[in-house]
DNA sequence: AAGTCGTGCTTGCATTTTGCAATTCCACAC
DNA sequence: GTGTGGAATTGCAAAATGCAAGCACGACTT
């Protein structure tokens, strides 16, 4: 990922942080699917490779979207959790999902979230946010 | 840009279309700044290079987000205009702008749109949509 | 009709990033 | 110590990017 000099445009600012093809996939897994471990991210359908995953996790930590924690029981089991800055991406992620939902004929509507997204987005957001009480408190 | 096989996830679907670091910059210029000519896109602060611009315009046309038209007076003056599929990205673009606005300390608030985005987003969207009456009618 | 200007786009090439498999590092368990 | 599994690095081929130069072509000038 190229780095542009500090920008005056909010969109370019956002793109410079998560505007590559992988960061948003990771953020989706964190925000929507409540994943937190390296192995969980690796297991996603999109088959991210280990070096890219590692690099993206690092850059998201640097950008202040994720924090890296030692596992509770096992100290080797690193845990990645979102910051408020990442949680504020919910509206973005939802907007993208709405758009994808409208135009991707292959969308899997059996994914639990999908139904609720169209019928009750606000409740969905609030429910998902509960996953991060540990972070926001 | 890599191509992933057809996906079941609306987010990945969206990323495969405009999830590279440049496509959204072009779409921003089309949707927000009402640009339509090659030279206008080249003139953006972000200094996209000619080959990338050309490739991205093509892929956005292929993806059905833009249409390519001959200029009205000058046949050599190609014109790129958004389709409905691109206009439906307004909520996404706005959501990203809100986020960038919150976290990018360098945001240039003198850009006309910025003030209105925070105070009256819906009116802003409607006003911008008027730029595309030719396309939607 | 010949020059030249503006506009959109392609080419060539060095640099960077990706994809993928193999390997290493390290905490913990036994 | 040996083994196990999670996290990350390395090596290398393939692809994408950045950049400068040049090409095609319609329109305008004379």
């Amino acid at each position: 990922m190229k780095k542009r000099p500090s920008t005056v445009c909010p969109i370019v600012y956002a793109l410079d942080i998560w505007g590559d093809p992988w960061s948003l996939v990771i953020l989706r897994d964190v925000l929507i699917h409540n994943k937190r471990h390296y192995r969980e991210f690796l297991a996603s359908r999109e088959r991210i490779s280990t070096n890219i995953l590692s690099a993206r996790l690092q850059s998201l930590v640097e950008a202040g979207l994720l924090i890296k924690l030692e596992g509770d029981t096992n100290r080797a089991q690193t845990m990645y959790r979102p910051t408020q800055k990442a949680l504020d991406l919910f509206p973005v992620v939802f907007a993208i999902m709405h758009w994808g939902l409208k135009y991707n004929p292959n969308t899997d509507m059996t994914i639990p979230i999908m139904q609720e997204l169209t019928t009750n987005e606000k409740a969905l957001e609030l429910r998902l946010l509960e996953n991060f009480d540990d972070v926001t408190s």
Side-chain angles (χ1 to χ4, degrees), chain A residues 38 42 48-55:
Chain A
Y38 194 88
L42 273 189
I48 189 170
S49 55
T50 59
N51 52 349
I52 309 277
L53 174 58
S54 176

Side-chain angles (χ1 to χ4, degrees), chain A residues 97-98 101 109 113-121 124:
Chain A
M97 288 179 80
H98 276 299
L101 218 50
M109 290 306 290
I113 312 290
M114 297 300 166
Q115 304 284 348
E116 197 171 358
L117 180 68
T118 58
T119 60
N120 202 349
E121 172 179 322
L124 175 60

